Amino acid sequence: SPQGRSKKKSRKHQRFLERRVLLEQKGLLSPRRRQSTQIPVAGPEAHAALTKANGTTTQRSGKVPKPKRVISASLSPSASPDSIARHHSVLLSQGNGSSKVRTSSPVLRPGKYVAIDCEMVGTGPQGRLSELARCSVVNYEGDVIYDKYVQPELPIVDFRTRWSGITKQHMKRAIPFKAAQAEILKILKDKIVVGHAIHNDFQALKYFHPKDRTRDTSQIPVLKQRAGLPVRANVSLKNLARHLLHKRIQVGCKGHSSVEDAQTAMELYRLVEVQWEKELARSLPPRPPSPVTDPTADSSQYLDDQYWPTDLVSSGL
């Protein structure tokens, strides 16, 4: 009868739909596009096939949510100083400027910062040459990590005691310049070095420190602005300390203390650290990665002929 045929077709169609669903779930058949109107599927087996796939309920929507972009909150220990400044700037820019970054944050790695100050004496004709006679280095917290008297390479003509604080008595326990230079440069290696008019200290050490790792408190407009002084003026460490730190240094006739001057320079740096590093991050050009230490560098370029010995290339190997 026509009614019996329709029932057979209906059951046959149901079995077809059930098999199609199972094949789609197993990945043996590509799923077809669903129409707006759903096709009813009868029977408990079909219902189970539609609602379960590998023990989980299938989702009707084929959209996959995109993963959110996450910015790392920390830097690797091998990060370069300019990347530290840029990461610092990113942290400051988050939260519409409302987030605060502590100066003692591990992101800034305080162990990578030192402050230096040197005292010089006069050597050469009429004592016009300046040579190192004392060097002091302090850490981020202002603790002394190096403080030694240094014997200049040339005979001392002028001790400049009124400014340097160096006397003939100090030279009795001074170490040779070459030995002091080796010790100091070992401390400064891979560090961000803070100082006031620090080019004079590097000159006395006969050393050049990378610009992006140098923080000269005599060259920071932020400090001069806070002190209410002209930005282009040459401001002494003594005046900055008086205006911003409310303390007196370099007083009396016994000369300067290189330890006190180094500690003061570090205090001034920490006072404007966040703003200064943020501005440096904008101004400093990115440092190109080293082809030797960069793990992401592609080594396939070394298969080119220009990297092979001449005799191997000529032999046709």
Side-chain angles (χ1 to χ4, degrees), residues 296-308:
T296 62
D298 185 8
S299 60
S300 62
Q301 60 175 322
Y302 297 112
L303 295 175
D304 297 342
D305 290 344
Q306 58 177 320
Y307 296 104
W308 285 74

Side-chain angles (χ1 to χ4, degrees), residues 268-310:
L268 289 170
Y269 166 75
R270 293 182 62 177
L271 190 65
V272 294
E273 177 183 10
V274 173
Q275 186 176 355
W276 194 4
E277 293 296 335
K278 185 177 179 181
E279 292 178 0
L280 282 175
R282 296 171 181 168
S283 61
L284 287 176
R287 174 177 291 187
S290 171
V292 178
T293 58
D294 185 14
T296 62
D298 185 8
S299 60
S300 62
Q301 60 175 322
Y302 297 112
L303 295 175
D304 297 342
D305 290 344
Q306 58 177 320
Y307 296 104
W308 285 74
T310 310

Side-chain angles (χ1 to χ4, degrees), residues 184-292:
I184 297 164
L185 298 192
K186 188 176 181 180
I187 296 174
L188 302 187
K189 183 181 179 182
D190 298 328
K191 297 289 197 304
I192 294 179
V193 185
V194 181
H196 192 84
I198 200 171
H199 62 279
N200 294 323
D201 303 309
F202 291 151
Q203 186 176 1
L205 285 167
K206 299 181 181 180
Y207 168 69
F208 174 79
H209 199 69
K211 184 178 179 181
D212 64 336
R213 299 181 187 178
T214 302
R215 305 290 185 266
D216 191 341
T217 53
S218 69
Q219 301 295 326
I220 316 179
V222 180
L223 281 174
K224 297 175 185 179
Q225 290 171 356
R226 283 203 178 193
L229 301 171
V231 175
R232 296 184 179 181
N234 291 325
V235 183
S236 66
L237 184 67
K238 181 178 182 177
N239 284 337
L240 286 176
R242 181 165 55 89
H243 282 89
L244 298 176
L245 303 177
H246 306 291
K247 73 174 188 177
R248 300 180 63 193
I249 63 171
Q250 301 175 356
V251 294
C253 57
K254 293 184 178 181
H256 303 174
S257 166
S258 54
V259 170
E260 184 181 49
D261 290 353
Q263 290 172 335
T264 302
M266 182 59 82
E267 285 184 64
L268 289 170
Y269 166 75
R270 293 182 62 177
L271 190 65
V272 294
E273 177 183 10
V274 173
Q275 186 176 355
W276 194 4
E277 293 296 335
K278 185 177 179 181
E279 292 178 0
L280 282 175
R282 296 171 181 168
S283 61
L284 287 176
R287 174 177 291 187
S290 171
V292 178

